[in-house]
Amino acid sequence: MIVLLSLLSAKAQADNADSTTFKGYIYNSEYQVYIQMDFYHNSVVIPGQELFGQLPGFFGAKRDTRKWPFVSAKITSPTSATLSVTNDYGSEDLVATLTYEGNGEYTLHQGEGSTIKIAVNRKWVKIPKTLTLKRQ
């Protein structure tokens, strides 16, 4: 009985640790961009854009008010998730992969579709296809 309880306790702790990998705020200081996410409960609301309702998350920039909402997020492994991303007008979309590399570091890889762009000083800046973000 004691062995069974300790096994269940260990499994619960492991499940709890996994349920925070794709929840929270991650940031890239070079481009001043971030991701706000909760892929477990799809409970993220974009500030000022509440009409989109609760979503898995979004990609945003400190220097641009536009957001790239995550229409869907599917956790494909304990360290990887596939995202369906669109701009806030719905005119551009893409599929991306977010991978947890360990030590609070994530890699966003933009796959098929559009490229995420932000406006800086009235000019479009394309975000690299592969971008590293860190937990804040």
Side-chain angles (χ1 to χ4, degrees):
M1 183 75 125
I2 292 173
V3 172
L4 179 61
L5 286 175
S6 65
L7 287 174
L8 289 174
S9 175
K11 172 145 177 38
Q13 288 175 353
D15 289 347
N16 190 28
D18 290 345
S19 68
T20 60
T21 302
F22 293 108
K23 182 177 181 178
Y25 179 87
I26 56 178
Y27 185 72
N28 175 282
S29 57
E30 179 182 355
Y31 288 90
Q32 298 179 23
V33 296
Y34 61 92
I35 290 176
Q36 182 71 46
M37 63 184 164
D38 184 352
F39 298 171
Y40 305 102
H41 302 106
N42 296 335
S43 60
V44 176
V45 176
I46 301 173
Q49 298 179 359
E50 292 80 7
L51 70 116
F52 289 121
Q54 294 185 336
L55 299 167
F58 64 91
F59 182 94
K62 296 283 185 184
R63 301 176 287 174
D64 189 0
T65 58
R66 289 179 270 298
K67 307 292 185 251
W68 288 74
F70 299 161
V71 178
S72 69
K74 180 179 180 186
I75 299 172
T76 55
S77 79
T79 59
S80 185
T82 301
L83 312 173
S84 177
V85 185
T86 185
N87 66 356
D88 50 4
Y89 293 104
S91 60
E92 297 184 67
D93 61 354
L94 66 132
V95 175
T97 304
L98 185 65
T99 305
Y100 179 62
E101 306 294 348
N103 294 330
E105 192 168 287
Y106 294 77
T107 301
L108 178 68
H109 178 74
Q110 300 178 55
E112 34 179 290
S114 303
T115 299
I116 295 176
K117 298 180 284 287
I118 61 171
V120 178
N121 298 326
R122 294 190 254 183
K123 293 184 181 181
W124 289 114
V125 175
K126 289 184 179 182
I127 300 301
K129 289 286 190 181
T130 301
L131 182 70
T132 301
L133 299 105
K134 294 186 179 183
R135 191 170 287 279
Q136 297 291 299

